[in-house]
Amino acid sequence: MAGKKFYAIKRGLVPGIYDNWPAASAQVRGVAGARYKGFATRDEAVAWLAGPEPASPGPRAGRGAGAKGAPGSEASPAAGTVLIYSDGGARFNPGPGGYGAIIIKGDSRRELSGGFRLTTNNRMELTACIEALKALARRDLPVALYSDSSYVVNGIAKGWAKNWRKRGWVKSDGQPALNADLWERLLELIEGLAISFHWVKGHSGHPLNERCDELAVAAARRPGLPEDEGYKG
């Protein structure tokens, strides 16, 4: 992120304006329905904090997936909804890569991360979602998944991945669909799950998205990373 960041907490443990991520994160971590947003200047943060608070419907739930989504800091999910935030990336793309994910259910919070020595941005974005969904303790609760990858969100919400699978992992232009192994696994994991996918703008001051990015970057830098057996470079 470029420049100074200020975090306005509208709903959290102690609402207010914070000038650093650790302090802001402590106010919203595990708080259901928390509302917060990052700004480049304090004046912008003050204006947003003082503004009216619109009604925020919970994420749509349904068999399969799908929602255009909005920045996760604006979300106010229905009670009982499990929140997942995910991010992934590869240095030099392709190169060493990592993923990070956060699972929040009520007051509980779990962080996941991992990486591979040679992979791509898109593979890590998909892997972040897959690993988070694999880690769900229950599959009978609605899930709202937030990702800054339009590739992932559109692939599910717009039905691209299902159509690729129907055509034997071939896209509408006749070209092979990349990362078929991961798309297949993701489709399997959301089958029968009440889940909605939402796009979050990356590197825009959203604390949970920023934390996932931190986890992914740290994982990509670990020594002795394993091979991404599905990557065909």
Side-chain angles (χ1 to χ4, degrees):
M1 295 179 292
K4 182 77 171 178
K5 297 298 296 190
F6 293 91
Y7 298 95
I9 311 297
K10 186 164 286 192
R11 280 192 221 153
L13 297 177
V14 181
I17 296 172
Y18 297 80
D19 63 3
N20 64 89
W21 154 242
S25 175
Q27 308 310 314
V28 300
R29 184 179 295 119
V31 177
R35 291 192 71 234
Y36 39 89
K37 194 171 183 180
F39 297 90
T41 68
R42 178 177 288 275
D43 287 345
E44 290 175 318
V46 169
W48 182 82
L49 193 62
E53 185 165 353
S56 299
R60 294 180 297 171
R63 189 174 182 273
K68 290 183 179 180
S73 58
E74 300 299 326
S76 181
T81 299
V82 178
L83 302 181
I84 293 176
Y85 289 82
S86 66
D87 195 18
R91 299 166 62 195
F92 316 119
N93 191 39
Y99 66 85
I102 299 172
I103 305 172
I104 298 175
K105 179 182 178 296
D107 294 331
S108 69
R109 168 172 167 155
R110 181 180 178 187
E111 295 185 347
L112 306 171
S113 65
F116 298 92
R117 64 173 176 261
L118 181 61
T119 188
T120 67
N121 289 339
N122 285 339
R123 288 189 67 79
M124 291 299 90
E125 295 280 12
L126 285 163
T127 299
C129 299
I130 289 168
E131 293 301 321
L133 292 172
K134 284 168 57 179
L136 290 177
R138 296 172 56 177
R139 291 182 56 83
D140 60 337
L141 296 175
V143 176
L145 190 152
Y146 296 86
S147 169
D148 62 13
S149 170
S150 57
Y151 173 70
V152 171
V153 174
N154 289 336
I156 296 298
K158 294 186 177 181
W160 295 349
K162 285 187 175 181
N163 288 332
W164 297 337
R165 183 172 62 178
K166 287 179 182 178
R167 291 191 292 263
W169 297 109
V170 175
K171 297 190 298 182
S172 59
D173 62 2
Q175 297 298 311
L178 300 179
N179 309 312
D181 59 324
L182 297 179
W183 282 115
E184 181 70 63
R185 185 65 178 127
L186 183 57
L187 289 174
E188 290 173 353
L189 285 166
I190 67 173
E191 183 68 28
L193 190 65
I195 185 170
S196 56
F197 279 66
H198 305 261
W199 181 76
V200 177
K201 184 177 181 180
H203 305 289
S204 62
H206 188 299
L208 294 176
N209 177 258
E210 298 287 353
R211 176 55 182 162
C212 287
D213 179 69
E214 291 174 0
L215 291 169
V217 170
R221 292 176 175 168
R222 292 174 190 162
L225 291 173
E227 178 185 357
D228 180 357
E229 295 181 357
Y231 174 61
K232 310 298 183 184

